[in-house]
Amino acid sequence: MEETLKRQLYLARSWTLEYVFKCPTFHSKSGGIGLFAETSFPGSPGKNSHFYFFFIMALVHKLLNGTCILRKCPKPRVASCPFWGTRFASSFQKPVAAPGKASSQRKTKGSLEERHQREVALEITSPEDKPEISFDKAIKEEMKDHFRRLKDDIVKYWIGPEGRPLHEVLMEQAKVVWQFRSKEDLDKWTVTSDKAIGGRSEVFLKMGKNNQSALLYGTLSSEAPQDGESGRSGYCAMVSKIPRGPFEMKRSYDWSQFNTLYLRVRGDGRPWMVNIREDTDIIQRKDQMYSYFMFTRGGPYWQEVKIPFSKFFFSNQGRIRDAQYQLLLDKISSIGFTLADKVDGPFFLEIDFIGVFTDPAHTEEFAYENSPELNPRLFK
């Protein structure tokens, strides 16, 4: 490609010189061939010949120099060509600056050339500099990552639950499941509101002060959407994402050795609903959850909330069912917090951590008597 460009530049220069020396209108009246001799252009007065010829030569020179700059070729030097003549070559040369200004002009010229070269490099990108995109390579990397995670899970399972020895797990009395110390901890949660059905409530989740907590805040609005279908509205929620293993397999939390949910929160005095979902693959049970109330005190002080798992009541599609069932603690998929107290206005809830522990003083297994397992006579 470089040889072709050099050949094109050579042909352009040859064509220009041939036109200059062979055209009869460029010959002077005295028979000499002087570029600034008195010449006459066809259909033009003789006094404008110098201007027209100089203008044509300037255009050709600008074209050649611009081509060399864009293609990053050596720039032709007009003064070094013997066919241009000394007077024409001297017209392209810049006037000699004073000794004191020479160094500053050279620096300015060098900086301008470097800036122009950077701009050209940004505009003209070589195909070799483009990032290589390969779907096959991406799929292979993804498969390697899944197999690596599968290998780690097998090794952890061989050692014990969660990769720890069994005796350590059995002796454990308390455990922090979620804490908020970085943005990665926030990525394990998702927020939603009645905007999904056309409502006007807003909810946001961000890191708290000094990155030591999660701040859930927003505005609650109980105004029903004007769609002709929904008659009620006004809720905001924060739900944990379902944990995933290799090859996107669903995982669950095993809290069977604990009996109490433990939270450290700070709110504005509003009541919240704590919701726990079981891990199930049955479609008919996807809207089922276990819930209990959490009352915040308000003010600047933190509060520790302890809710026994036996207090959680069973609901389906937001309605408390007559038949109550006990929560299965070995198949917990997610936990969430819902605000729907029908009080319009701003709200906030700050959470330090969420954990579970074993309370030896709590011996209750299930708090509701209308259960088919505890009282089967009521459901005959």
Side-chain angles (χ1 to χ4, degrees), residues 3-290:
E3 296 295 335
T4 305
L5 182 59
K6 289 182 179 180
R7 181 173 179 80
Q8 291 177 357
L9 294 176
Y10 175 77
L11 292 176
R13 295 173 188 170
S14 302
W15 176 83
T16 306
L17 293 174
E18 183 179 359
Y19 181 79
V20 170
F21 288 101
K22 289 186 178 180
C23 183
T25 58
F26 283 120
H27 289 266
S28 63
K29 293 181 180 179
S30 61
I33 307 179
L35 294 180
F36 282 86
E38 188 178 356
T39 59
S40 61
F41 280 69
S44 302
K47 61 182 180 180
N48 295 328
S49 60
H50 291 171
F51 171 74
Y52 289 155
F53 180 70
F54 179 79
F55 182 69
I56 293 173
M57 291 299 101
L59 288 179
V60 173
H61 177 73
K62 188 68 175 177
L63 175 63
L64 297 179
N65 285 348
T67 306
C68 291
I69 290 174
L70 291 177
R71 296 299 181 183
K72 300 179 182 179
C73 294
K75 187 184 295 185
R77 298 185 62 183
V78 180
S80 62
C81 183
F83 298 100
W84 292 107
T86 56
R87 296 184 60 186
F88 186 74
S90 62
S91 64
F92 280 93
Q93 295 177 357
K94 296 184 178 180
V96 180
K101 299 181 180 179
S103 59
S104 61
Q105 290 182 356
R106 283 196 299 269
K107 292 181 180 179
T108 306
K109 182 179 178 181
S111 61
L112 291 176
E113 290 181 356
E114 292 177 359
R115 180 179 179 183
H116 179 74
Q117 291 178 359
R118 289 196 299 268
E119 293 177 355
V120 170
L122 290 175
E123 293 175 359
I124 304 176
T125 306
S126 175
E128 297 145 359
D129 297 339
K130 293 182 179 179
E132 182 181 356
I133 300 176
S134 175
F135 291 100
D136 296 337
K137 183 178 179 180
I139 292 174
K140 290 180 181 179
E141 294 295 333
E142 187 72 15
M143 293 296 293
K144 288 181 180 179
D145 180 66
H146 282 294
F147 278 110
R148 178 184 57 79
R149 294 169 59 186
L150 180 61
K151 176 185 175 182
D152 295 341
D153 285 355
I154 294 175
V155 173
K156 290 181 179 179
Y157 184 79
W158 184 262
I159 296 174
E162 301 179 359
R164 297 184 300 167
L166 182 59
H167 67 275
E168 291 184 6
V169 177
L170 295 177
M171 294 296 293
E172 192 175 28
Q173 299 295 319
K175 178 181 179 181
V176 176
V177 184
W178 292 280
Q179 61 180 354
F180 303 94
R181 300 295 183 267
S182 63
K183 188 179 180 301
E184 288 74 15
D185 297 329
L186 294 183
D187 294 337
K188 300 177 183 179
W189 295 78
T190 180
V191 293
T192 182
S193 67
D194 54 18
K195 272 192 173 182
I197 60 174
R200 297 187 177 182
S201 300
E202 294 181 339
V203 60
F204 306 96
L205 180 64
K206 69 176 184 179
M207 293 300 300
K209 189 177 180 180
N210 298 327
N211 293 334
Q212 295 296 318
S213 61
L215 181 60
L216 181 68
Y217 67 100
T219 305
L220 186 68
S221 175
S222 58
E223 182 179 354
Q226 304 297 325
D227 56 358
E229 298 180 359
S230 302
R232 296 182 300 174
S233 182
Y235 71 88
C236 295
M238 169 184 173
V239 185
S240 65
K241 296 180 180 179
I242 300 177
R244 300 282 179 174
F247 301 100
E248 298 300 321
M249 294 185 298
K250 290 195 301 182
R251 288 179 173 176
S252 60
Y253 299 99
D254 186 3
W255 298 343
S256 56
Q257 66 183 84
F258 308 102
N259 61 4
T260 305
L261 183 68
Y262 187 26
L263 307 95
R264 188 171 186 263
V265 299
R266 180 166 56 183
D268 54 358
R270 286 176 178 258
W272 290 78
M273 184 77 75
V274 182
N275 307 311
I276 297 179
R277 292 181 181 271
E278 292 180 347
D279 183 15
T280 176
D281 295 328
I282 303 176
I283 299 178
Q284 289 80 0
R285 302 183 62 181
K286 66 177 182 178
D287 296 326
Q288 298 178 359
M289 66 177 61
Y290 296 82

